[in-house]
């Protein structure tokens, strides 16, 4: 009784009458908002902020503990394309990054003058709101957290959708989602901002995994592309894939497929390779030496030894410099950080299996770093240079300097009201209802490593086709077909062919589409219509008001 009266007094003093229940578990509780955003990516942040800015309530349900996805997970050397078509909250993000690096205290390990103005927009391009497109992970995460704090966005972290039984639908609409902890989130609109598209899939929305045949959408660069080399991520000289060079009876080396290559242009279930975008440090005071990982076996990297023996010298080509004597380290060459062919089951895999795949990628990549630093089969000059690098002590502190986000370059892709294809991205077909723009090359990393008819090894799937101009992204590619779901928007695993997604999948574009999806959700709430039936003219007016770029 005393506890009950104490609660009444507290409620009275705060001006809010609330029920008081002792020791009530937070699990199994219901949470309600106008919009529920599922995910912790950069798109999730911009979507949530936009909902708040337009006067609606929002809850972010994030399986991730850290916000920002790849943008705060190591990808600091931003793939931008034409920066002039990046607007709205995305551009504000890069402006805030600039402002962080305008503070003297940000430059702990390097003088600002030493780094220079790499990655900065010009005054002529930016105006007063200067931008910076190259940054450290910790700075990106700070900016995302600032967005959330300033807009009072409520986030429930480490909350994983119950993919089997957690989505309740009624009359073609999602009513609620439940997480594995038992929390139930109810909303009028839902946004799936994950890299995997788990909410989309659990809601029964149709999607595709893998590469479509070119015949599906009348494309040229989709499907299998054996013998097509548009980057330098292939074997430029003959290298044997067999344990005993030249002897097929000895068996294949690790990470070489025994599957025969298919016909060019045909579709398959393969997806482009994943990796971790490692942030490395060359500062001895901020460097963790590469440890020997569990289960390390140098034989797993024999193929790389043969690449070196053939004369390859490009180890450090993609150690892209970011501030404070660090790198954003990306895949480069025929055998590098991309774990080719080891992720095919990731998109539809269980949480447990995904965890295994991520760990396999981590051990492979950590093993590669240890091999490059220590193995006698690596040229001495490479080993000497590698010994100068290590994981940064001041990044990913709760994970030993290792990124918290694997680079999911592609997973599920929705089959929505409209599908973006290479025809739209290459300017062959017009987009009539733009909600943002892309401009980066149609960029797919390798999808398989196979044995050619001549008995030598080769990679396949690495494509880089450059659009002549920036292109618009259609609103219809953010929404499912109406018969699938009427109150869901999907700005990350959006409706796109494999090869078009190779360009759309850039982090600034995800921020753009997250913001646009939120504006559409707000309008759908206000007008009490399905997301497929909103008034595009009004949406366009809102997007332009928010300084989004819709046409070039």
């Amino acid at each position: 009784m005393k506890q009950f009266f104490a609660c009444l007094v507290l409620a009275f003093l705060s001006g809010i009458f609330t029920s008081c229940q002792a020791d009530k578990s937070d699990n199994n509780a219901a949470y309600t908002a106008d919009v529920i955003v599922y995910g912790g990516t950069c798109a999730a942040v911009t979507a949530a902020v936009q909902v708040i800015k337009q006067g609606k309530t929002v809850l972010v349900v994030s399986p991730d503990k850290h916000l920002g996805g790849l943008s705060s997970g190591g990808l600091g050397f931003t793939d931008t394309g034409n920066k002039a078509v990046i607007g709205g909250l995305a551009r504000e993000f890069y402006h805030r990054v600039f402002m962080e690096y305008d503070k003297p205290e940000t430059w702990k390990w390097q003088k600002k003058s030493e780094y220079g103005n790499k990655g900065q927009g010009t005054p002529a391009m930016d105006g007063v709101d200067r931008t910076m497109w190259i940054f450290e992970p910790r700075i990106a995460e700070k900016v995302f957290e600032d967005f959330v704090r300033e807009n009072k966005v409520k986030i429930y972290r480490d909350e994983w959708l119950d993919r089997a039984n957690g989505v309740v639908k009624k009359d073609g609409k999602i009513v609620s989602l439940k997480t594995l902890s038992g929390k139930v989130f109810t909303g009028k609109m839902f946004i799936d901002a994950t890299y995997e598209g788990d909410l989309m899939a659990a809601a029964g929305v149709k999607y595709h995994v893998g590469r479509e045949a070119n015949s599906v959408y009348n494309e040229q660069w989709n499907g299998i592309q054996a013998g097509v080399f548009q980057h330098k991520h292939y074997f430029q000289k003959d290298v044997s894939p067999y344990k005993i060079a030249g002897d097929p009876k000895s068996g294949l080396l690790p990470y070489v497929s025994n599957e025969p290559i298919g016909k060019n242009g045909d579709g398959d279930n393969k997806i482009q390779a994943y990796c971790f975008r490692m942030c490395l440090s060359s500062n001895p005071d901020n460097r963790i030496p590469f440890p020997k990982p569990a289960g390390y076996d140098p034989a797993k990297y024999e193929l790389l030894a043969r690449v070196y023996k053939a004369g390859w010298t490009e180890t450090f080509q993609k150690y892209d410099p970011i501030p404070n004597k660090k790198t954003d380290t990306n895949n480069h060459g025929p055998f590098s950080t991309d774990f080719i062919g080891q992720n095919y089951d990731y998109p539809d895999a269980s949480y447990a299996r995904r965890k295994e795949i991520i760990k396999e990628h981590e051990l492979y990549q950590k093993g590669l770093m240890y091999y490059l630093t220590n193995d006698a089969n690596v040229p001495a000059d490479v080993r000497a240079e590698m010994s100068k690098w290590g994981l940064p002590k001041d990044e990913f502190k709760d994970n030993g300097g290792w990124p918290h986000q694997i680079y999911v370059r592609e997973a599920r892709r929705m089959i929505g009201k409209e599908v973006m294809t290479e025809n739209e991205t290459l300017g062959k077909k017009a987009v009539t209802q733009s909600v943002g723009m892309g401009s980066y090359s149609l960029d797919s990393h390798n999808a398989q490593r196979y044995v050619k008819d001549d008995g030598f090894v080769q990679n396949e799937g690495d494509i880089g086709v450059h659009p002549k101009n920036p292109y618009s992204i259609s609103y219809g590619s953010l929404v499912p077909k109406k018969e699938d779901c009427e109150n869901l928007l999907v700005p990350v695993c959006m409706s796109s062919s494999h090869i078009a997604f190779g360009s759309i999948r850039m982090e600034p574009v995800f921020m753009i589409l997250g913001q646009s999806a939120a504006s559409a959700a707000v309008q759908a709430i206000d007008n009490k219509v399905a997301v497929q039936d909103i008034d595009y003219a009004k949406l366009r007016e809102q997007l332009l008001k928010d300084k989004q770029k819709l046409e070039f």
Side-chain angles (χ1 to χ4, degrees):
M1 184 64 70
K2 289 181 179 179
Q3 186 180 18
F4 175 75
F5 281 113
C7 286
L8 288 180
V9 171
L10 288 172
F12 176 78
L13 292 174
S14 64
I16 303 173
F17 187 89
T18 59
S19 63
C20 183
Q21 298 179 353
D23 300 321
K24 180 178 178 180
S25 173
D26 200 34
N27 295 341
N28 303 314
Y31 304 86
T32 302
D34 293 319
V35 180
I36 306 297
V37 177
Y38 184 64
T41 63
C42 62
V45 175
T46 57
V49 169
Q50 184 63 24
V51 171
I52 295 294
K53 286 181 177 295
Q54 289 193 239
K56 293 291 188 284
T57 58
V58 66
L59 294 176
V60 176
V61 184
S62 173
D64 309 305
K65 296 178 182 178
H66 296 272
L67 294 180
L70 256 297
S71 288
S72 62
L75 203 165
F77 202 82
T78 309
D79 301 314
T80 57
N82 189 327
K83 298 177 180 66
V85 299
I86 299 171
L89 290 173
R91 196 169 198 87
E92 184 178 342
F93 170 82
Y94 297 105
H95 168 60
R96 287 177 176 234
V97 169
F98 175 89
M99 296 302 291
E100 289 297 322
Y101 282 106
D102 207 34
K103 301 174 182 176
E105 60 268 25
T106 304
W107 298 91
K108 182 176 181 180
W109 306 110
Q110 185 177 32
K111 292 182 178 179
K112 183 178 180 181
S113 58
E114 179 187 345
Y115 186 78
N117 62 354
K118 288 187 285 289
Q120 294 183 13
T122 64
M125 181 181 75
D126 290 343
V128 295
D129 295 330
R130 297 291 304 281
T131 57
M132 189 161 177
W133 309 81
I134 298 175
F135 46 83
E136 299 159 275
R138 62 188 180 88
I139 297 300
E141 186 168 7
K142 180 183 184 303
V143 172
F144 286 123
E145 293 289 354
D146 286 347
F147 269 131
V148 166
R149 176 179 49 79
E150 292 167 14
N151 291 278
K152 297 180 174 60
V153 176
K154 181 64 177 177
I155 300 180
Y156 294 85
R157 303 176 197 242
D158 199 20
E159 290 289 344
W160 298 78
L161 174 68
D162 179 347
R163 291 159 59 187
N165 303 297
V167 176
V168 175
K169 288 179 70 179
K170 182 179 180 181
D171 298 328
K173 297 178 181 179
I174 301 172
V175 176
S176 65
L177 68 84
K178 183 176 69 174
T179 60
L180 294 178
S181 71
K183 295 183 179 68
V184 176
F185 297 87
T186 302
K188 299 172 184 175
M189 292 288 151
F190 292 79
I191 296 174
D192 185 338
T194 62
Y195 289 123
E196 294 84 5
D198 283 342
L199 176 57
M200 171 191 74
V205 174
K206 297 180 182 66
Y207 62 88
H208 187 86
V209 174
R211 301 182 288 188
E212 299 93 346
N214 275 327
S215 58
V216 174
Y217 296 120
N218 190 29
E219 295 177 299
Q220 177 183 354
W221 300 109
N222 209 335
I224 299 168
Q225 298 284 333
V228 178
F229 308 120
Q230 295 173 330
H231 295 109
K232 299 179 75 175
H233 310 320
Y234 68 99
F235 293 86
Q236 299 178 49
K237 295 184 179 180
D238 290 341
V239 173
S240 175
Y242 301 109
K243 293 178 181 178
I244 300 174
D247 181 7
K249 293 181 181 179
S250 65
L252 291 169
L253 289 171
Y255 316 131
V256 180
S257 172
N258 62 3
E259 181 182 332
I261 191 71
K263 180 183 175 183
N264 272 17
D266 283 359
D268 59 20
N269 67 340
K270 296 174 173 61
I271 56 178
Q272 56 180 311
Y274 297 171
C275 71
F276 286 92
R277 290 289 283 260
M278 295 177 299
C279 178
L280 303 182
S281 172
S282 63
N283 188 318
D285 297 326
N286 190 39
R287 185 178 69 211
I288 305 170
F290 297 117
K292 180 189 288 189
Y296 172 76
D297 181 359
K300 293 179 179 179
Y301 307 98
E302 170 61 23
L303 204 54
L304 178 57
R306 296 181 187 182
V307 171
Y308 279 125
K309 192 174 181 180
W312 188 69
T313 60
E314 300 176 10
T315 304
F316 302 100
Q317 197 84 345
K318 284 300 290 178
Y319 281 50
D320 294 315
I322 63 175
N324 282 310
K325 296 185 177 182
K326 299 175 187 173
T327 69
D328 169 358
T329 309
N330 199 4
N331 177 82
H332 182 77
F335 191 104
S336 184
T337 55
D338 279 1
F339 202 15
I340 299 172
Q342 308 304 310
N343 62 343
Y344 299 156
D345 59 333
Y346 181 89
D348 280 321
S350 67
Y351 290 138
R353 174 58 187 144
R354 283 184 188 162
K355 189 175 181 179
E356 291 176 352
I357 294 169
I358 292 169
K359 191 64 178 180
E360 289 163 5
H361 279 69
E362 178 185 338
L363 291 175
Y364 163 78
Q365 206 161 325
K366 284 182 174 179
L368 176 63
M369 294 298 103
Y370 185 82
Y371 181 85
L372 289 170
T373 309
N374 296 282
D375 199 277
N377 286 311
V378 176
D381 62 326
V382 174
R383 280 181 280 140
E385 180 63 25
M386 279 299 301
S387 67
K388 300 175 184 177
W389 293 95
L391 299 175
K393 294 179 180 178
D394 63 346
E395 301 284 356
F396 315 119
K397 291 181 179 180
D398 59 352
N399 204 33
W402 191 257
H404 48 68
Q405 174 67 59
I406 193 171
Y407 196 170
V408 179
R409 288 189 171 95
E410 181 177 27
R412 300 181 178 105
R413 300 185 309 280
M414 179 170 65
I415 302 175
K417 182 180 178 182
E418 297 177 14
V419 180
M420 289 290 294
T421 73
E422 74 175 45
N423 298 302
E424 287 80 14
T425 58
L426 296 179
K428 299 176 183 178
K429 186 176 179 182
V431 170
T432 57
Q433 295 188 341
S434 174
V435 288
M437 302 194 73
S439 62
Y440 200 75
S441 65
L442 280 64
D443 180 54
S444 173
H445 283 231
N446 283 305
Q448 60 183 323
R449 180 177 289 137
Y450 69 103
V451 181
K452 298 185 295 178
D453 291 340
D454 61 6
F456 295 108
V457 66
Q458 192 52 270
N459 297 333
E460 182 276 321
D462 190 55
I463 303 297
V465 180
H466 294 270
K468 292 181 180 179
N469 295 300
Y471 57 88
S472 297
I473 299 169
S474 68
Y475 174 68
S477 69
L478 302 189
V479 299
K481 294 179 180 179
K482 195 171 183 179
E483 59 266 27
D484 285 349
C485 189
E486 296 184 12
N487 66 335
L488 174 69
L489 295 110
V490 186
V492 177
C493 292
M494 42 83 68
S495 182
S496 169
S497 72
H498 155 74
I499 195 59
F501 193 75
S503 174
I504 297 169
R505 65 182 178 86
M506 303 305 148
E507 292 285 291
V509 179
F510 286 157
M511 293 188 216
I512 291 166
L513 298 182
Q515 182 178 6
S516 296
S519 291
V522 170
Q523 188 197 126
I525 292 171
D526 286 341
N527 295 342
K528 296 181 173 60
V529 297
V531 292
Q532 295 83 1
D533 297 331
I534 66 162
D535 184 336
Y536 173 72
K538 290 183 179 179
L539 176 61
R540 178 184 175 86
E541 182 180 345
Q542 180 66 49
L543 299 183
L544 292 175
K545 177 183 175 183
D546 294 324
K547 299 182 179 180
Q548 293 267 45
K549 306 294 183 182
L550 304 182
E551 285 92 19
F552 183 66

